[in-house]
Amino acid sequence: MKILVCISNVPDTTTKITFTDNNTQFNTAGVQFILNPYDEIALSRAVELAEGGKGTVTVINVGEVSTEPTIRKALAVGADEAVRINAKPHDAYFVAYQIAEYAKDKAFDMILTGRESIDYNGAKVAGMIGELLDIPSVSIIKKLDVDGTTATVDREIESGKEVITIPFPFVAGTAEGVAEWKIPNMRGIMSARTKPLTVVEPKEVKTLSEILSFETPAPRGQVKLVPADDAAKLIDLLHNEARVF
Amino acid sequence: MSVLIYAENADGKFKKSIFEAVSYAKAIAAQNNTTLVALSIGNVAAAELSALGKYGAEKVLNVSNDKLKSFVNQAYASVIAEAAKKEGSTIVVLSNSFSGKGLAPRIAVKLGAGLSDGAVSLPDAGARFTVKKSVFSGKAFAVVELTSENKVVSLTPNSYKLVETGGNATVEDFTSDLKDSDFKTIIKDIVKATDKVSLPDAELVVSAGRGLKGPENWGMIEELANLLGAATACSKPVSDAGWRPHSEHVGQTGIAISPNLYIAIGISGAIQHLAGVSSSKVIVVINKDPEAPFFKVADYGIVGDAFEVVPKLIEAVKQLKAS
Ligand SMILES: Cc1cc2nc3c(=O)[nH]c(=O)nc-3n(C[C@H](O)[C@H](O)[C@H](O)COP(=O)(O)OP(=O)(O)OC[C@H]3O[C@@H](n4cnc5c(N)ncnc54)[C@H](O)[C@@H]3O)c2cc1C
Ligand SMILES: Cc1cc2nc3c(=O)[nH]c(=O)nc-3n(C[C@H](O)[C@H](O)[C@H](O)COP(=O)(O)OP(=O)(O)OC[C@H]3O[C@@H](n4cnc5c(N)ncnc54)[C@H](O)[C@@H]3O)c2cc1C
């Protein structure tokens, strides 16, 4: 079983988000970058499925050299090898195209992504790769089991789930429930230094979208406190002032 | 040209979020001086289909094919892209539902279109097609320009108002050639809590955290939610501990929601939690600690013990409903 896990390098979840250059650039000064939490779940499941010689796990990132610490972290968690497509990820189509171009002649059985990146929150790379390779894509999945060359997944739907079977090869965007986060051990960290990390130059592709600027949400006004012994007042305010019900 | 809206149904009915998307697509069609065509796939009754006209669809294409009774991502994407081509639709609109998230990227690739996912505002009516979306998990917005000729936009539920235009839609059958290779996935089972308001669609949400101490104390949370017609949600440690299902977990690593009202009970307001709920229109916090960070982003608050406050709220809602 050959598994490809797509990983993105994102600001730590506690990062205060600010912008520079007249609100056109994300300010990375002092920002700690991490492996996107959902991608980490995908990777953890991939490593579990491949354990004991049952398969190999390759991780791929589209990014500049600054993402390599995150790629090494993925190797420490248990991926066998890594690929970095040496480019700034311009838009989701660019990312999906580079990954599809890399994967198309390598016979991966399964391509896993996170449900979405926690920076640009597009939830679109998985579906785009699926379409580019003309194979099924399922997003968002909360459980992933493999039997032979077929996977069974739980797809999240409004107020429930669908249980779906998919033959290899396919793409899936994973969320919590698929696996527990794995914490790399010392051996993993040591071996990550010597595992192969191949750098591939990007293919040319048309740009379809462009971020023009960023905005930060307007701050909320002062909180209106209601005394605990007059809780009914809160319902009155929500009904008559905020008019939410 | 025209604008195409994919009107997803849930068991034969259109949800409010779909009518929002139709209203939104109608406004885009008006900006471009063109017509709005709706596409429905699955078994939907004629009266329900023509209801799409009320929100601005001039024509409804109806695909009812036994093979497409339940959702098959690849096949649905092929049908929608084919309809867009036949109708000369250069802009395709969807709701950013779970199915919409699966479909939009495939449709965009098929049409060579740029995709603006999770839009929260109308495109700018100027020369450049720009749409605002939430980024950095609710901490900011990005203004994204689609530079391609064809465009796909998916709309975040509860972020655009319903606009009734009072029109009538004509309904036409639409057939398309289905490829076997689009039917590789097979649905084995569908598990749905039908008695509950679904969290991503909910306008009102009652959420609770570790301050509730244990799963046995959720009775009052559910009672308050039921009385309000609200969905229930929880913080991550609560679902991690198995007190509540993962599907209720909101935040950076759970789901992001933007209801009209979010009531947070016994939740501290960690930055990762706020990431999923900060775009709620009104936020109410009930916490016994006046220093809880959640109060900084709240509109209304009560500093107090949830076990005393929530029963009082329940009483007050009952009285309001009785009056
Ligand atoms: C340094 C940097 C500069 C950027 N500059 C621009 C810009 O100038 N203009 C602009 O429009 N956008 C820019 N972006 C945004 C970028 O286009 C998106 O990150 C990318 O399109 C992926 O979309 P998404 O984040 O919505 O992914 P989603 O679809 O939410 O991601 C889903 C999954 O896809 C995989 N994935 C996502 N990104 C990558 C990746 N890079 N490599 C491998 N797998 C990945 C992961 O598994 C992820 O969980 C930039 C991003 C970065 C990190
Ligand atoms: C990578 C990462 C991702 C994460 N993603 C998420 C996420 O998606 N969603 C999420 O929620 N968290 C997430 N977290 C966890 C987050 O950091 C917090 O730990 C979590 O949100 C805290 O949950 P809580 O508020 O329920 O519990 P606590 O922080 O323990 O807060 C409990 C609150 O209840 C109050 N309280 C106690 N007793 C009472 C009472 N009787 N009446 C009223 N109030 C009372 C306390 O004053 C306190 O403020 C993530 C963390 C990391 C590191």
Side-chain angles (χ1 to χ4, degrees):
Chain A
M1 187 171 26
K2 280 183 73 178
I3 309 175
L4 181 67
V5 182
C6 307
I7 57 170
S8 52
N9 178 54
V10 297
D12 178 80
T13 55
T14 56
T15 308
K16 185 164 173 4
I17 303 296
T18 59
F19 302 99
T20 60
D21 295 2
N22 208 8
N23 283 330
T24 57
Q25 301 294 325
F26 169 50
N27 183 6
T28 54
V31 172
Q32 171 81 32
F33 281 85
I34 58 166
L35 177 55
N36 188 37
Y38 301 115
D39 307 357
E40 209 170 331
I41 295 175
L43 175 61
S44 299
R45 186 66 188 136
V47 170
E48 284 170 12
L49 289 170
E51 244 158 23
K54 289 207 287 289
T56 58
V57 178
T58 306
V59 291
I60 187 166
N61 169 258
V62 180
E64 292 169 303
V65 68
S66 59
T67 68
E68 288 197 359
T70 294
I71 300 177
R72 290 283 172 207
K73 160 96 194 277
L75 290 169
V77 169
D80 300 293
E81 55 160 354
V83 177
R84 181 171 67 80
I85 310 287
N86 187 26
K88 192 173 139 191
H90 192 85
D91 65 12
Y93 182 69
F94 179 89
V95 170
Y97 187 85
Q98 302 305 334
I99 295 172
E101 282 295 304
Y102 174 79
K104 69 179 182 195
D105 55 5
K106 303 210 171 45
F108 288 105
D109 297 305
M110 209 188 298
I111 302 178
L112 300 180
T113 76
R115 70 180 285 168
E116 66 189 58
S117 68
I118 65 166
D119 50 3
Y120 296 92
N121 306 101
K124 46 193 181 184
V125 168
M128 287 179 175
I129 298 173
E131 187 60 38
L132 287 164
L133 296 175
D134 197 18
I135 58 177
S137 57
V138 199
S139 39
I140 299 154
I141 65 163
K142 304 205 124 191
K143 192 164 187 269
L144 167 62
D145 289 319
V146 172
D147 183 8
T149 59
T150 304
T152 303
V153 303
D154 284 356
R155 180 175 85 91
E156 186 166 23
I157 57 174
E158 281 76 9
S159 66
K161 63 172 184 186
E162 262 173 22
V163 182
I164 302 180
T165 59
I166 332 169
F168 288 171
F170 65 88
V171 192
T174 62
E176 273 210 327
V178 161
E180 295 293 328
W181 278 284
K182 274 201 180 4
I183 297 162
N185 56 24
M186 208 50 210
R187 217 182 81 219
I189 295 167
M190 297 305 287
S191 67
R193 293 189 193 153
T194 53
K195 285 178 180 170
L197 192 169
T198 314
V199 178
V200 177
E201 290 308 314
K203 297 265 172 74
E204 217 166 301
V205 51
K206 206 173 153 203
T207 302
L208 302 176
S209 68
E210 189 91 53
I211 295 177
L212 299 183
S213 62
F214 295 97
E215 294 171 15
T216 32
R220 286 181 196 259
Q222 191 69 25
V223 55
K224 207 178 236 186
L225 287 178
V226 175
D229 51 15
D230 193 15
K233 176 78 185 154
L234 175 65
I235 298 301
D236 177 56
L237 286 168
L238 292 176
H239 180 61
N240 292 311
E241 188 180 84
R243 297 174 179 273
V244 284
F245 52 74
Chain B
M1 75 166 287
S2 62
V3 175
L4 183 78
I5 163 84
Y6 166 57
E8 161 190 349
N9 74 80
D11 303 317
K13 294 271 180 271
F14 299 119
K15 289 189 196 165
K16 178 166 166 276
S17 54
I18 300 306
F19 293 131
E20 288 165 6
V22 177
S23 304
Y24 177 81
K26 176 65 181 179
I28 297 179
Q31 284 178 344
N32 291 282
N33 294 317
T34 186
T35 53
L36 178 65
V37 180
L39 174 73
S40 168
I41 307 177
N43 281 336
V44 184
E48 186 73 6
L49 287 174
S50 53
L52 295 169
K54 213 163 75 181
Y55 299 96
E58 270 106 356
K59 179 162 86 175
V60 177
L61 303 176
N62 181 35
V63 182
S64 61
N65 179 315
D66 273 353
K67 288 183 85 173
L68 297 170
K69 254 190 202 153
S70 44
F71 180 69
V72 191
N73 194 27
Q74 266 179 293
Y76 274 43
S78 294
V79 172
I80 297 166
E82 193 187 326
K85 283 181 193 155
K86 279 197 184 149
E87 291 294 320
S89 308
T90 50
I91 303 173
V92 177
V93 180
L94 299 87
S95 171
N96 199 28
S97 61
F98 286 122
S99 301
K101 282 183 181 165
L103 290 168
R106 296 200 78 117
I107 297 168
V109 171
K110 282 179 194 289
L111 299 176
L115 165 59
S116 184
D117 53 278
V120 296
S121 70
L122 265 186
D124 193 30
R128 301 168 83 172
F129 191 95
T130 62
V131 187
K132 197 151 87 169
K133 69 158 289 192
S134 170
V135 289
F136 295 100
S137 303
K139 294 178 196 167
F141 295 101
V143 177
V144 181
E145 178 181 12
L146 299 185
T147 49
S148 51
E149 167 75 14
N150 290 333
K151 299 165 181 78
V152 178
V153 182
S154 72
L155 177 70
T156 300
N158 211 24
S159 56
Y160 194 76
K161 57 195 182 301
L162 293 176
V163 184
E164 289 196 25
T165 55
N168 261 320
T170 53
V171 178
E172 287 174 17
D173 281 334
F174 181 79
T175 47
S176 69
D177 298 327
L178 303 175
K179 286 191 297 183
D180 281 345
S181 60
D182 275 353
F183 289 88
K184 286 184 186 148
T185 58
I186 295 163
I187 300 178
K188 293 286 176 189
D189 195 12
I190 298 178
V191 187
K192 250 190 195 175
T194 44
D195 57 331
K196 283 192 137 182
V197 181
S198 114
L199 183 55
D201 297 320
E203 290 179 31
L204 309 176
V205 174
V206 179
S207 184
R210 205 144 58 175
L212 278 232
K213 315 274 188 281
E216 65 283 3
N217 296 325
W218 250 261
M220 63 180 187
I221 302 299
E222 291 193 324
E223 186 177 0
L224 180 60
N226 282 341
L227 282 167
L228 292 171
T232 48
C234 68
S235 66
K236 175 170 154 61
V238 164
S239 61
D240 283 350
W243 297 358
R244 300 296 293 175
H246 269 303
S247 56
E248 285 196 3
H249 157 199
V250 291
Q252 184 130 38
T253 48
I255 57 172
I257 52 173
S258 47
N260 295 342
L261 174 66
Y262 183 74
I263 305 183
I265 304 169
I267 303 176
S268 57
I271 191 162
Q272 298 95 349
H273 184 86
L274 298 181
V277 302
S278 60
S279 57
S280 306
K281 289 171 190 88
V282 174
I283 294 180
V284 174
V285 170
I286 298 163
N287 196 302
K288 69 175 185 189
D289 174 10
E291 301 298 321
F294 222 143
F295 283 116
K296 292 203 177 70
V297 297
D299 300 290
Y300 297 95
I302 295 182
V303 179
D305 185 339
F307 297 97
E308 286 163 24
V309 173
V310 177
K312 284 187 191 152
L313 295 179
I314 290 173
E315 267 325 297
V317 176
K318 280 185 182 159
Q319 276 183 17
L320 177 72
K321 291 182 90 171
S323 67

